[in-house]
Amino acid sequence: AQKVTQAQTEISVVEKEDVTLDCVYETRDTTYYLFWYKQPPSGELVFLIRRNSFDEQNEISGRYSWNFQKSTSSFNFTITASQVVDSAVYFCALSGGTNDYKLSFGAGTTVTVRA
Amino acid sequence: DARVTQTPRDKVTEMGQEVTMRCQPILGHNTVFWYRQTMMQGLELLAYFRNRAPLDDSGMPKDRFSAEMPDATLATLKIQPSEPRDSAVYFCASGLGIKNTEAFFGQGTRLTVV
């Protein structure tokens, strides 16, 4: 069975602070993919990143960075110098193995950035 | 700017009524998903189509829910009869590829059954 745990329910920061969102996953598959999605107040889910289990290189995209560590089954997401527009719910998700078509989502972390 | 389009955005209906939600996937995408989002259950997969064929609908209550793809540009999700517990946001998503593809989501249909 696949499972994604986002232990942080809510995080509140002041603008320009860095914020790190934790994601821990469980899977028995050797090949799997991890994802992050953003859900702003408008409601749509916005795809941010997909990583496969064989690529542990960290990735940076603008103010966003991701740290993938297979040894701890974690795929953490950091927003550097947060802005009010970063306020959203962020979801980590997993697919792979016999569930290679569907995303198993975590419960989400609500990030509030205050001006 | 290619995107998944869902209609209606909001729907309020009375218990027992039929509800139809529509989705236009991104042109060229061969996979379509229906997800439901509730506070209690989070995001759950209801149905999955590949090349218009339903491959997994195990997440749907079979007695009242049905999902179809009449053609490559339209996916529908019907609830008949609707119940208050069906109140949720229903997302359609589409993707390109077979395995482990990222899914691109529409804006969702917020359904309220009273």
Side-chain angles (χ1 to χ4, degrees), chain B residues 27-104:
Chain B
L27 189 65
H29 281 188
N30 64 343
T31 54
V32 172
F33 309 82
W34 283 102
Y35 281 86
R36 176 170 65 183
Q37 184 178 33
T38 61
M39 290 294 292
M40 293 299 295
Q41 301 296 328
L43 281 153
E44 312 171 275
L45 179 70
L46 295 177
Y48 164 66
F49 289 79
R50 183 188 300 165
N51 296 323
R52 294 177 56 202
L55 294 187
D56 183 358
D57 60 3
S58 59
M60 288 200 314
K62 297 292 187 303
D63 56 338
R64 299 184 300 108
F65 283 58
S66 62
E68 296 180 344
M69 280 201 74
D71 60 60
T73 64
L74 177 65
T76 62
L77 179 66
K78 287 186 182 179
I79 307 175
Q80 167 65 15
S82 57
E83 298 180 1
R85 60 181 167 149
D86 300 328
S87 297
V89 180
Y90 291 82
F91 285 101
C92 175
S94 69
L96 182 62
I98 297 175
K99 296 183 178 181
N100 303 299
T101 183
E102 60 267 35
F104 295 90

Side-chain angles (χ1 to χ4, degrees), chain A residues 33 35 37 39 42-45 47 50 91 95-96 100-103 105, chain B residues 9 33 35 37 43 45 48 56 91 99-107:
Chain A
Y33 285 73
F35 305 77
Y37 282 84
Q39 187 174 36
S42 52
E44 74 274 23
L45 281 153
F47 165 74
R50 179 184 76 152
F91 292 94
S95 72
D100 61 5
Y101 55 88
K102 79 176 188 181
L103 297 167
F105 284 91
Chain B
R9 292 292 311 278
F33 309 82
Y35 281 86
Q37 184 178 33
L43 281 153
L45 179 70
Y48 164 66
D56 183 358
F91 285 101
K99 296 183 178 181
N100 303 299
T101 183
E102 60 267 35
F104 295 90
F105 284 75
Q107 293 187 293

Side-chain angles (χ1 to χ4, degrees), chain A residues 82-103:
Chain A
S82 60
Q83 300 176 0
V84 172
V85 293
D86 296 326
S87 296
V89 183
Y90 291 86
F91 292 94
C92 182
L94 169 69
S95 72
T98 54
N99 293 315
D100 61 5
Y101 55 88
K102 79 176 188 181
L103 297 167

